[in-house]
Amino acid sequence: MFKFASPEYLYLFFAIPVFVLGFIFLNIRKRKSVEKLGALALVKKMMPELSLKRSYLKFWLTMVIIGFGIVILARPQFGTKKESVDRKGIELVIAIDVSNSMMAEDISPNRLAKAKQILTRIIDERRDDKVAIVVFAGEAFIQLPMTPDNQSAKMFLETIDTRLVPVQGTAIGSAIDISMSCFSNDENIDKAIVLITDGEGHEGNAEQAAEQAAKKGVHVNVIGIGTTDGAMIPVAEGARDMKRDNQGQPVVTKLNEEMCRQIAKAGEGLYAHADNSNSALKSLQAELEKLQKKGIDGGAAYSEYDEKFQIFAWAMLVLLFIEICIFDKKNKIFRNIRLFK
């Protein structure tokens, strides 16, 4: 992959044709001035040490040097860069509810978008943790297996929407069971689940699943998102039309806060209510900080792009040195090099 970090500087390339036209114009005027002195061939014989080819070469070298300078300003970046770092953290599974009720707008901009904002902040602030992502509605599946690559985790999180799971419902028990399968067998690393849901349409055995996870040393933390007053569900994100029941009445979804508390209690974790403040994020971060951090495998961090301006900087320096060494007049050092005659 290739990109420029500051592509706006590439517009400076439009100045190069102006320089070229100016150089051509000045040379035409200079030629006409010389012709006033006499025939051009005769004038050349009178100034045998003068080399027009050298002046042309110096100009084009200068243009190339300017071009390399512009590229350096634009900061070319290639591919990905792998950095080895010591990682001391935990294994964290993020389970996010993607049922239709998560489109309700009682939390700005809507429940799902707010959930993704919170989880992105968690991933950003817990860079030494391994992360996995599970999505669930009426069923659950792994969106991203356990990885130390936080950049990939954020990219996968960004793609999450309610279309990922066509079966509607809120299978929290299944989400916890699937989350448990994401962890490694390393007993020396603390593990945690962060479950974010509105609890709407909750199905079955969530408390039992959370209790079983706690017995295996995995804390189940629950973030309840939405309001207890509830809100209607748009038929699509940003749409004005609302979902309706069989009687044609708008469907209202409410946060099942009591159920969320019970699951967190059974999982020996934290319950926090996500609103339009950062209180839930702060509470969750404080809870995760209590877990013991130990060295984890996969101590390689990936930064998205690797700076490569150094290549162009060295090329520019070499050409600049050559340009300085070329004189307008012939000299003994380069007398035998045909390129400069």
Side-chain angles (χ1 to χ4, degrees):
M1 298 176 66
F2 171 80
K3 76 166 189 176
F4 289 101
S6 303
E8 62 273 12
Y9 287 105
L10 295 177
Y11 288 111
L12 292 174
F13 274 112
F14 288 116
I16 290 181
V18 177
F19 292 146
V20 173
L21 291 173
F23 179 75
I24 293 172
F25 175 74
L26 289 175
N27 272 275
I28 292 173
R29 289 192 60 184
K30 188 184 298 184
R31 189 183 187 95
K32 289 181 178 180
S33 298
V34 171
E35 287 176 345
K36 291 179 181 179
L37 299 176
L40 189 60
L42 180 60
V43 173
K44 285 183 177 180
K45 290 181 180 181
M46 294 172 61
M47 295 183 291
E49 296 298 320
L50 185 62
S51 173
L52 293 177
K53 290 182 179 179
R54 289 168 179 265
S55 64
Y56 295 154
L57 181 59
K58 286 173 64 69
F59 172 77
W60 289 114
L61 281 175
T62 302
M63 291 299 99
V64 174
I65 290 168
I66 291 173
F68 281 152
I70 293 171
V71 172
I72 291 169
L73 288 174
R75 294 177 56 200
Q77 298 176 333
F78 294 85
T80 58
K81 179 174 64 176
K82 184 177 180 180
E83 299 174 338
S84 295
V85 295
D86 293 329
R87 301 178 69 94
K88 291 192 175 184
I90 65 172
E91 290 184 351
L92 179 66
V93 177
I94 292 169
I96 181 169
D97 188 348
V98 294
S99 57
N100 286 334
S101 60
M102 291 290 285
M103 297 304 296
E105 297 175 353
D106 49 355
I107 298 293
S108 178
N110 60 49
R111 294 177 184 177
L112 182 58
K114 183 64 175 180
K116 289 161 67 173
Q117 291 174 6
I118 292 172
L119 297 177
T120 298
R121 288 279 302 277
I122 291 172
I123 293 172
D124 276 336
E125 295 183 22
R126 304 198 61 81
R127 296 179 181 178
D128 291 334
D129 295 345
K130 282 186 174 182
V131 180
I133 299 176
V134 170
V135 295
F136 68 94
E139 56 188 16
F141 69 87
I142 299 171
Q143 175 76 350
L144 176 69
M146 191 68 68
T147 177
D149 187 355
N150 300 73
Q151 292 296 329
S152 293
K154 290 197 294 182
M155 288 173 60
F156 273 87
L157 188 63
E158 188 62 32
T159 64
I160 290 175
D161 59 36
T162 55
R163 295 169 294 181
L164 285 176
V165 184
V167 180
Q168 285 303 299
T170 309
I172 296 176
S174 296
I176 295 173
D177 291 338
I178 291 291
S179 297
M180 291 296 293
S181 70
C182 295
F183 294 114
S184 70
N185 295 323
D186 191 342
E187 297 180 356
N188 294 319
I189 299 174
D190 277 356
K191 303 172 175 67
I193 296 172
V194 174
L195 183 76
I196 188 160
T197 180
D198 57 16
E200 181 76 3
H202 164 52
E203 301 172 8
N205 59 342
E207 290 179 54
Q208 293 87 339
E211 187 176 350
Q212 290 299 315
K215 288 180 179 179
K216 295 178 181 179
V218 178
H219 300 269
V220 180
N221 303 282
V222 182
I223 299 178
I225 193 159
T227 62
T228 53
D229 293 333
M232 294 182 288
I233 306 172
V235 295
E237 186 174 1
R240 294 184 178 181
D241 294 335
M242 301 295 160
K243 290 185 179 294
R244 299 179 180 275
D245 58 21
N246 294 334
Q247 285 73 42
Q249 297 299 315
V251 177
V252 177
T253 172
K254 299 180 181 180
L255 168 65
N256 190 341
E257 195 164 32
E258 180 59 31
M259 183 272 295
C260 291
R261 292 182 187 277
Q262 291 173 359
I263 295 173
K265 182 178 179 181
E268 299 180 6
L270 167 81
Y271 169 74
H273 176 218
D275 51 23
N276 288 318
S277 70
N278 291 322
S279 58
L281 177 64
K282 292 178 181 177
S283 299
L284 180 60
Q285 288 285 42
E287 185 69 17
L288 294 176
E289 281 297 319
K290 295 177 184 178
L291 300 181
Q292 187 173 5
K293 295 181 179 181
K294 294 185 178 181
I296 60 177
D297 294 331
Y302 296 85
S303 56
E304 191 173 352
Y305 287 94
D306 185 14
E307 299 275 358
K308 292 296 183 182
F309 68 89
Q310 302 92 336
I311 298 172
F312 297 94
W314 279 110
M316 186 177 72
L317 286 174
V318 171
L319 291 178
L320 186 60
F321 177 77
I322 294 173
E323 195 275 339
I324 292 172
C325 290
I326 299 174
F327 300 98
D328 288 328
K329 293 183 178 181
K330 298 177 183 178
N331 55 77
K332 293 180 180 180
I333 298 175
F334 300 111
R335 188 179 297 277
N336 297 320
I337 302 178
R338 296 186 59 85
L339 178 63
F340 300 113
K341 290 184 177 180

